[in-house]
Short mmCIF file of all heavy atoms in Angstrom, two decimals:
data_model
loop_
_atom_site.label_atom_id
_atom_site.label_comp_id
_atom_site.label_asym_id
_atom_site.label_seq_id
_atom_site.Cartn_x
_atom_site.Cartn_y
_atom_site.Cartn_z
N MET A 1 48.30 -93.61 -25.77
CA MET A 1 48.95 -94.64 -25.00
C MET A 1 49.47 -94.04 -23.69
O MET A 1 50.15 -93.02 -23.68
CB MET A 1 50.09 -95.22 -25.82
CG MET A 1 50.76 -96.39 -25.16
SD MET A 1 51.97 -97.08 -26.31
CE MET A 1 52.12 -98.68 -25.63
N ALA A 2 49.14 -94.67 -22.59
CA ALA A 2 49.52 -94.16 -21.28
C ALA A 2 50.98 -94.47 -20.98
O ALA A 2 51.51 -95.49 -21.39
CB ALA A 2 48.64 -94.78 -20.21
N ASN A 3 51.59 -93.56 -20.24
CA ASN A 3 52.97 -93.76 -19.81
C ASN A 3 52.97 -94.75 -18.65
O ASN A 3 52.35 -94.53 -17.62
CB ASN A 3 53.55 -92.41 -19.36
CG ASN A 3 55.00 -92.51 -18.98
OD1 ASN A 3 55.59 -93.58 -19.03
ND2 ASN A 3 55.57 -91.41 -18.58
N LYS A 4 53.68 -95.86 -18.77
CA LYS A 4 53.68 -96.89 -17.74
C LYS A 4 54.81 -96.70 -16.73
O LYS A 4 54.87 -97.39 -15.73
CB LYS A 4 53.79 -98.28 -18.38
CG LYS A 4 52.57 -98.60 -19.19
CD LYS A 4 52.61 -100.00 -19.73
CE LYS A 4 51.36 -100.21 -20.57
NZ LYS A 4 51.13 -101.59 -20.90
N ILE A 5 55.70 -95.76 -16.99
CA ILE A 5 56.81 -95.52 -16.07
C ILE A 5 56.30 -94.63 -14.93
O ILE A 5 55.66 -93.62 -15.16
CB ILE A 5 57.99 -94.83 -16.79
CG1 ILE A 5 58.51 -95.73 -17.90
CG2 ILE A 5 59.09 -94.47 -15.82
CD1 ILE A 5 59.55 -95.09 -18.78
N ARG A 6 56.61 -95.04 -13.71
CA ARG A 6 56.17 -94.29 -12.54
C ARG A 6 57.35 -93.62 -11.85
O ARG A 6 58.47 -94.13 -11.88
CB ARG A 6 55.46 -95.23 -11.54
CG ARG A 6 54.22 -95.85 -12.10
CD ARG A 6 53.14 -94.81 -12.21
NE ARG A 6 51.97 -95.35 -12.89
CZ ARG A 6 51.28 -94.69 -13.81
NH1 ARG A 6 51.64 -93.50 -14.18
NH2 ARG A 6 50.24 -95.23 -14.38
N THR A 7 57.08 -92.51 -11.20
CA THR A 7 58.11 -91.77 -10.48
C THR A 7 58.44 -92.47 -9.18
O THR A 7 57.55 -92.84 -8.43
CB THR A 7 57.60 -90.34 -10.19
OG1 THR A 7 57.24 -89.73 -11.42
CG2 THR A 7 58.66 -89.50 -9.51
N SER A 8 59.74 -92.65 -8.91
CA SER A 8 60.17 -93.30 -7.67
C SER A 8 59.96 -92.37 -6.47
O SER A 8 59.79 -91.16 -6.62
CB SER A 8 61.63 -93.70 -7.76
OG SER A 8 62.44 -92.54 -7.77
N LYS A 9 60.01 -92.97 -5.29
CA LYS A 9 59.79 -92.20 -4.06
C LYS A 9 60.85 -91.11 -3.87
O LYS A 9 60.54 -89.98 -3.50
CB LYS A 9 59.80 -93.16 -2.87
CG LYS A 9 59.31 -92.56 -1.59
CD LYS A 9 59.20 -93.63 -0.52
CE LYS A 9 58.54 -93.09 0.71
NZ LYS A 9 58.35 -94.10 1.74
N SER A 10 62.10 -91.45 -4.17
CA SER A 10 63.18 -90.47 -3.97
C SER A 10 63.05 -89.29 -4.94
O SER A 10 63.28 -88.14 -4.56
CB SER A 10 64.54 -91.13 -4.13
OG SER A 10 64.71 -91.66 -5.41
N VAL A 11 62.66 -89.57 -6.17
CA VAL A 11 62.47 -88.49 -7.14
C VAL A 11 61.27 -87.64 -6.76
O VAL A 11 61.29 -86.42 -6.88
CB VAL A 11 62.30 -89.08 -8.57
CG1 VAL A 11 61.91 -87.99 -9.55
CG2 VAL A 11 63.59 -89.75 -9.01
N ALA A 12 60.23 -88.28 -6.26
CA ALA A 12 59.04 -87.54 -5.83
C ALA A 12 59.36 -86.59 -4.68
O ALA A 12 58.85 -85.46 -4.65
CB ALA A 12 57.95 -88.52 -5.41
N LYS A 13 60.22 -87.02 -3.76
CA LYS A 13 60.62 -86.14 -2.65
C LYS A 13 61.35 -84.91 -3.17
O LYS A 13 61.12 -83.80 -2.72
CB LYS A 13 61.53 -86.89 -1.68
CG LYS A 13 60.81 -87.77 -0.72
CD LYS A 13 61.79 -88.39 0.26
CE LYS A 13 61.09 -89.27 1.27
NZ LYS A 13 62.02 -89.83 2.25
N LYS A 14 62.26 -85.13 -4.13
CA LYS A 14 63.02 -84.01 -4.70
C LYS A 14 62.10 -83.08 -5.48
O LYS A 14 62.23 -81.85 -5.39
CB LYS A 14 64.13 -84.54 -5.59
CG LYS A 14 65.23 -85.19 -4.80
CD LYS A 14 66.29 -85.80 -5.69
CE LYS A 14 67.31 -86.56 -4.85
NZ LYS A 14 68.23 -87.32 -5.65
N ALA A 15 61.17 -83.65 -6.22
CA ALA A 15 60.23 -82.83 -7.00
C ALA A 15 59.36 -82.00 -6.07
O ALA A 15 59.10 -80.82 -6.33
CB ALA A 15 59.36 -83.73 -7.88
N SER A 16 58.93 -82.60 -4.98
CA SER A 16 58.10 -81.89 -4.01
C SER A 16 58.84 -80.71 -3.39
O SER A 16 58.29 -79.63 -3.25
CB SER A 16 57.65 -82.88 -2.93
OG SER A 16 56.84 -82.24 -1.99
N SER A 17 60.11 -80.93 -3.06
CA SER A 17 60.88 -79.84 -2.48
C SER A 17 61.12 -78.72 -3.50
O SER A 17 61.16 -77.55 -3.13
CB SER A 17 62.20 -80.35 -1.91
OG SER A 17 63.07 -80.74 -2.93
N GLN A 18 61.27 -79.07 -4.75
CA GLN A 18 61.43 -78.06 -5.81
C GLN A 18 60.18 -77.22 -5.94
O GLN A 18 60.24 -76.01 -6.15
CB GLN A 18 61.75 -78.72 -7.15
CG GLN A 18 63.14 -79.28 -7.25
CD GLN A 18 64.21 -78.22 -7.17
OE1 GLN A 18 64.10 -77.16 -7.76
NE2 GLN A 18 65.24 -78.50 -6.40
N LEU A 19 59.01 -77.85 -5.84
CA LEU A 19 57.75 -77.11 -5.95
C LEU A 19 57.57 -76.13 -4.79
O LEU A 19 56.98 -75.07 -4.96
CB LEU A 19 56.57 -78.08 -6.00
CG LEU A 19 56.38 -78.82 -7.32
CD1 LEU A 19 55.29 -79.87 -7.18
CD2 LEU A 19 56.04 -77.87 -8.44
N ARG A 20 58.08 -76.49 -3.62
CA ARG A 20 57.93 -75.61 -2.45
C ARG A 20 58.96 -74.49 -2.42
O ARG A 20 58.75 -73.48 -1.74
CB ARG A 20 58.05 -76.44 -1.17
CG ARG A 20 56.86 -77.31 -0.90
CD ARG A 20 56.90 -77.88 0.51
NE ARG A 20 58.13 -78.62 0.75
CZ ARG A 20 58.24 -79.95 0.66
NH1 ARG A 20 57.20 -80.67 0.32
NH2 ARG A 20 59.39 -80.53 0.91
N SER A 21 60.05 -74.65 -3.17
CA SER A 21 61.12 -73.65 -3.16
C SER A 21 60.70 -72.39 -3.91
O SER A 21 60.10 -72.46 -4.98
CB SER A 21 62.36 -74.24 -3.81
OG SER A 21 63.35 -73.25 -3.96
N SER A 22 61.04 -71.25 -3.34
CA SER A 22 60.70 -69.98 -4.01
C SER A 22 61.71 -69.62 -5.09
O SER A 22 61.45 -68.77 -5.93
CB SER A 22 60.63 -68.86 -2.97
OG SER A 22 61.88 -68.71 -2.35
N LYS A 23 62.88 -70.29 -5.08
CA LYS A 23 63.93 -69.98 -6.06
C LYS A 23 63.81 -70.79 -7.34
O LYS A 23 64.56 -70.58 -8.28
CB LYS A 23 65.31 -70.24 -5.43
CG LYS A 23 65.60 -69.34 -4.25
CD LYS A 23 66.94 -69.67 -3.65
CE LYS A 23 67.21 -68.83 -2.42
NZ LYS A 23 68.46 -69.19 -1.77
N THR A 24 62.87 -71.73 -7.38
CA THR A 24 62.73 -72.62 -8.53
C THR A 24 62.07 -71.89 -9.70
O THR A 24 61.11 -71.14 -9.50
CB THR A 24 61.87 -73.84 -8.13
OG1 THR A 24 62.44 -74.43 -6.99
CG2 THR A 24 61.81 -74.86 -9.23
N THR A 25 62.57 -72.14 -10.92
CA THR A 25 62.00 -71.50 -12.10
C THR A 25 60.67 -72.15 -12.47
O THR A 25 60.35 -73.26 -12.03
CB THR A 25 62.94 -71.63 -13.30
OG1 THR A 25 63.08 -73.00 -13.62
CG2 THR A 25 64.31 -71.03 -13.02
N LYS A 26 59.92 -71.46 -13.29
CA LYS A 26 58.61 -71.96 -13.73
C LYS A 26 58.75 -73.27 -14.50
O LYS A 26 57.95 -74.18 -14.34
CB LYS A 26 57.97 -70.89 -14.63
CG LYS A 26 56.51 -71.02 -14.82
CD LYS A 26 56.00 -69.86 -15.67
CE LYS A 26 54.66 -69.42 -15.18
NZ LYS A 26 54.12 -68.32 -15.98
N ALA A 27 59.79 -73.38 -15.33
CA ALA A 27 60.02 -74.60 -16.11
C ALA A 27 60.31 -75.79 -15.20
O ALA A 27 59.79 -76.89 -15.41
CB ALA A 27 61.17 -74.39 -17.09
N THR A 28 61.12 -75.57 -14.17
CA THR A 28 61.45 -76.64 -13.23
C THR A 28 60.21 -77.08 -12.47
O THR A 28 60.00 -78.27 -12.25
CB THR A 28 62.54 -76.18 -12.24
OG1 THR A 28 63.67 -75.73 -12.99
CG2 THR A 28 62.95 -77.30 -11.31
N LYS A 29 59.38 -76.12 -12.08
CA LYS A 29 58.15 -76.47 -11.36
C LYS A 29 57.21 -77.27 -12.25
O LYS A 29 56.53 -78.18 -11.79
CB LYS A 29 57.45 -75.20 -10.86
CG LYS A 29 58.18 -74.60 -9.68
CD LYS A 29 57.38 -73.52 -9.02
CE LYS A 29 58.20 -72.95 -7.87
NZ LYS A 29 57.46 -72.24 -6.89
N SER A 30 57.20 -76.98 -13.53
CA SER A 30 56.38 -77.72 -14.47
C SER A 30 56.83 -79.17 -14.57
O SER A 30 56.02 -80.10 -14.53
CB SER A 30 56.44 -77.05 -15.85
OG SER A 30 55.74 -77.81 -16.79
N VAL A 31 58.14 -79.38 -14.65
CA VAL A 31 58.69 -80.73 -14.73
C VAL A 31 58.45 -81.48 -13.42
O VAL A 31 58.08 -82.67 -13.42
CB VAL A 31 60.21 -80.68 -15.05
CG1 VAL A 31 60.83 -82.05 -14.92
CG2 VAL A 31 60.42 -80.12 -16.46
N ALA A 32 58.63 -80.80 -12.30
CA ALA A 32 58.41 -81.42 -10.99
C ALA A 32 56.95 -81.82 -10.82
O ALA A 32 56.65 -82.91 -10.32
CB ALA A 32 58.84 -80.47 -9.88
N GLY A 33 56.04 -80.97 -11.25
CA GLY A 33 54.61 -81.29 -11.17
C GLY A 33 54.26 -82.49 -12.04
O GLY A 33 53.46 -83.34 -11.66
N SER A 34 54.87 -82.54 -13.20
CA SER A 34 54.65 -83.67 -14.10
C SER A 34 55.15 -84.97 -13.47
O SER A 34 54.49 -86.01 -13.56
CB SER A 34 55.36 -83.40 -15.42
OG SER A 34 55.19 -84.49 -16.30
N ALA A 35 56.30 -84.91 -12.82
CA ALA A 35 56.85 -86.10 -12.17
C ALA A 35 55.93 -86.57 -11.04
O ALA A 35 55.69 -87.76 -10.89
CB ALA A 35 58.24 -85.79 -11.60
N LEU A 36 55.38 -85.62 -10.29
CA LEU A 36 54.48 -86.00 -9.20
C LEU A 36 53.16 -86.55 -9.72
O LEU A 36 52.56 -87.41 -9.07
CB LEU A 36 54.24 -84.81 -8.28
CG LEU A 36 55.41 -84.44 -7.38
CD1 LEU A 36 55.09 -83.21 -6.57
CD2 LEU A 36 55.78 -85.58 -6.47
N SER A 37 52.72 -86.08 -10.86
CA SER A 37 51.47 -86.60 -11.39
C SER A 37 51.64 -88.02 -11.93
O SER A 37 50.67 -88.75 -12.13
CB SER A 37 50.92 -85.69 -12.50
OG SER A 37 51.73 -85.75 -13.65
N ASN A 38 52.89 -88.44 -12.14
CA ASN A 38 53.18 -89.80 -12.58
C ASN A 38 53.35 -90.77 -11.42
O ASN A 38 53.66 -91.93 -11.62
CB ASN A 38 54.48 -89.82 -13.41
CG ASN A 38 54.20 -89.94 -14.88
OD1 ASN A 38 53.09 -90.23 -15.27
ND2 ASN A 38 55.21 -89.69 -15.68
N ARG A 39 53.17 -90.29 -10.20
CA ARG A 39 53.30 -91.11 -8.99
C ARG A 39 52.19 -92.16 -8.95
O ARG A 39 51.09 -91.93 -9.42
CB ARG A 39 53.14 -90.20 -7.80
CG ARG A 39 54.10 -90.12 -6.69
CD ARG A 39 55.36 -90.79 -6.67
NE ARG A 39 55.50 -91.38 -5.34
CZ ARG A 39 56.08 -92.51 -5.10
NH1 ARG A 39 56.60 -93.21 -6.04
NH2 ARG A 39 56.16 -92.97 -3.90
N ARG A 40 52.48 -93.30 -8.34
CA ARG A 40 51.44 -94.32 -8.14
C ARG A 40 50.36 -93.78 -7.21
O ARG A 40 50.64 -93.01 -6.33
CB ARG A 40 52.04 -95.56 -7.48
CG ARG A 40 52.82 -96.40 -8.39
CD ARG A 40 53.26 -97.66 -7.67
NE ARG A 40 54.68 -97.92 -7.85
CZ ARG A 40 55.15 -98.66 -8.86
NH1 ARG A 40 54.35 -99.18 -9.71
NH2 ARG A 40 56.45 -98.83 -8.98
N LYS A 41 49.16 -94.22 -7.41
CA LYS A 41 48.03 -93.78 -6.57
C LYS A 41 48.07 -94.50 -5.25
O LYS A 41 48.49 -95.61 -5.15
CB LYS A 41 46.71 -94.07 -7.26
CG LYS A 41 46.57 -93.35 -8.58
CD LYS A 41 46.31 -91.89 -8.37
CE LYS A 41 46.12 -91.20 -9.70
NZ LYS A 41 46.46 -89.90 -9.82
#
């Protein structure tokens, strides 16, 4: 069953900045990547 909840624009911006940060942990980058993959096409 597909997840129907989509990531909002504001959350996507924060997730994107976390992925670009060098201080972010691997676990946080994983969660941020997952949030971005849930973005609308």
Side-chain angles (χ1 to χ4, degrees):
M1 185 174 201
N3 183 0
K4 294 185 182 193
I5 298 173
R6 297 288 173 223
T7 303
S8 68
K9 192 173 188 177
S10 62
V11 172
K13 279 184 179 182
K14 289 176 185 171
S16 181
S17 69
Q18 287 296 317
L19 285 173
R20 288 192 303 262
S21 173
S22 61
K23 296 178 183 176
T24 306
T25 64
K26 198 177 217 181
T28 304
K29 287 190 181 199
S30 175
V31 171
S34 179
L36 287 177
S37 69
N38 256 348
R39 233 6 225 145
R40 284 185 228 270
K41 299 286 182 209

